[in-house]
Amino acid sequence: MRHPFRGQRCLGSGPDRSGTRVAQIEYSRQIRSQSVTRTTPRIGRYSAATGQGFVLAHSGSQILLRFDRSNETWVLRPSSAPRGDTIYRNDAGEQVLRVNASGGITLYSSRSPGGSPVSAESGVAPNLEPQALGPVQLFNLMTRRSGLISDAVGRLVQINVYGDESEALCVEALIVATDTVIRIARSPSAKPFLDRLRVITIIEGNRSAVTYQRGELRVVVDPSRGIAGRPSSARIIRAIIPED
């Protein structure tokens, strides 16, 4: 097992037409912006009617979501919907939340693909931002994760982590990637897609990406985008198990 992380850190023809067109564009933009702002869910703990609990937090203009008993934090992106609703999707384009104009929330998940109403709960929401570990803890994490993956797939799988800018983001990516591989390995129908897996590499780059080629699962994180620069488990699954 090696530990290569280096942790240092043209419009209308006349002026009237043009002015009207610009005003219409600006008005539409303001309406869309107000719609998204009005239906932004509040920070806190929530529970769906299915019993699924989760936490919502904000990171700048982004919404973060983490389900109970999960290591993954999802970054959700808003888009306007009819009747003043806002849909929040993950980086794979999947709908996760729908918030109506009055603030009511519906959760969409594997347990409730048709949607489940959500209610707020009491309690303090934890910090969902990535946390740095330090060289020794990172090496120990890599060793443990390599062992878990190797046991799950039945062969040695090497883990490499390379980074100069954000150790915390690389740690997030490592945990999400290994948890995802373990989930795939537990499925008899999906496990054969891991037959070629020999190496998991976490590396920094200018754009987040996931590739699975020649036995290597490579996850690229973009430190300039913060937690949004880390691919989600949904993207990792799509890389390992191509859609028909």
Side-chain angles (χ1 to χ4, degrees):
M1 176 66 57
R2 63 194 182 102
H3 172 214
F5 193 95
R6 298 190 298 276
Q8 280 80 16
R9 305 255 121 123
C10 238
L11 298 172
S13 59
D16 291 339
R17 281 189 179 181
S18 177
T20 300
R21 178 62 174 164
V22 170
Q24 290 173 339
I25 293 173
E26 178 61 21
Y27 179 73
S28 297
R29 186 194 64 78
Q30 291 177 359
I31 291 298
R32 289 195 299 270
S33 176
Q34 291 170 4
S35 173
V36 171
T37 300
R38 186 174 63 246
T39 55
T40 299
R42 291 177 297 178
I43 293 173
R45 290 187 172 276
Y46 293 85
S47 179
T50 56
Q52 220 169 351
F54 60 93
V55 170
L56 289 180
H58 297 170
S59 178
S61 61
Q62 298 166 336
I63 300 297
L64 308 181
L65 179 150
R66 180 181 292 174
F67 291 105
D68 293 349
R69 297 179 294 278
S70 172
N71 291 319
E72 179 169 12
T73 297
W74 296 84
V75 179
L76 306 182
R77 297 167 175 79
S79 61
S80 296
R83 302 186 302 276
D85 294 2
T86 303
I87 294 175
Y88 289 88
R89 301 180 185 275
N90 61 28
D91 62 346
E94 300 167 340
Q95 179 176 248
V96 179
L97 297 178
R98 187 180 186 112
V99 185
N100 64 31
S102 60
I105 302 175
T106 302
L107 172 70
Y108 297 84
S109 68
S110 57
R111 286 196 204 174
S112 54
S116 176
V118 165
S119 58
E121 293 188 338
S122 60
V124 178
N127 178 17
L128 300 186
E129 294 287 348
Q131 303 296 311
L133 294 180
V136 174
Q137 288 180 298
L138 176 57
F139 178 78
N140 290 338
L141 175 66
M142 292 167 63
T143 302
R144 291 195 304 272
R145 289 282 161 163
S146 177
L148 290 172
I149 292 289
S150 300
D151 288 344
V153 301
R155 81 187 72 85
L156 178 63
V157 176
Q158 181 179 350
I159 292 179
N160 299 322
V161 179
Y162 300 91
D164 292 313
E165 297 182 46
S166 179
E167 176 197 303
L169 193 61
C170 289
V171 167
E172 277 266 323
L174 170 60
I175 292 173
V176 170
T178 51
D179 279 352
T180 303
V181 169
I182 291 171
R183 283 168 48 202
I184 293 173
R186 289 173 178 165
S187 169
S189 61
K191 187 175 181 179
F193 288 97
L194 299 174
D195 286 348
R196 295 176 290 115
L197 181 65
R198 295 294 185 276
V199 181
I200 297 176
T201 299
I202 312 297
I203 192 169
E204 295 175 345
N206 295 325
R207 184 177 181 181
S208 66
V210 186
T211 58
Y212 182 43
Q213 299 174 341
R214 295 183 291 277
E216 180 189 44
L217 175 65
R218 176 173 289 243
V219 179
V220 183
V221 301
D222 178 2
S224 69
R225 298 186 61 213
I227 193 170
R230 188 259 301 149
S232 69
S233 60
R235 287 179 65 189
I236 295 172
I237 290 172
R238 289 187 179 184
I240 296 174
I241 309 175
E243 294 183 321
D244 294 334

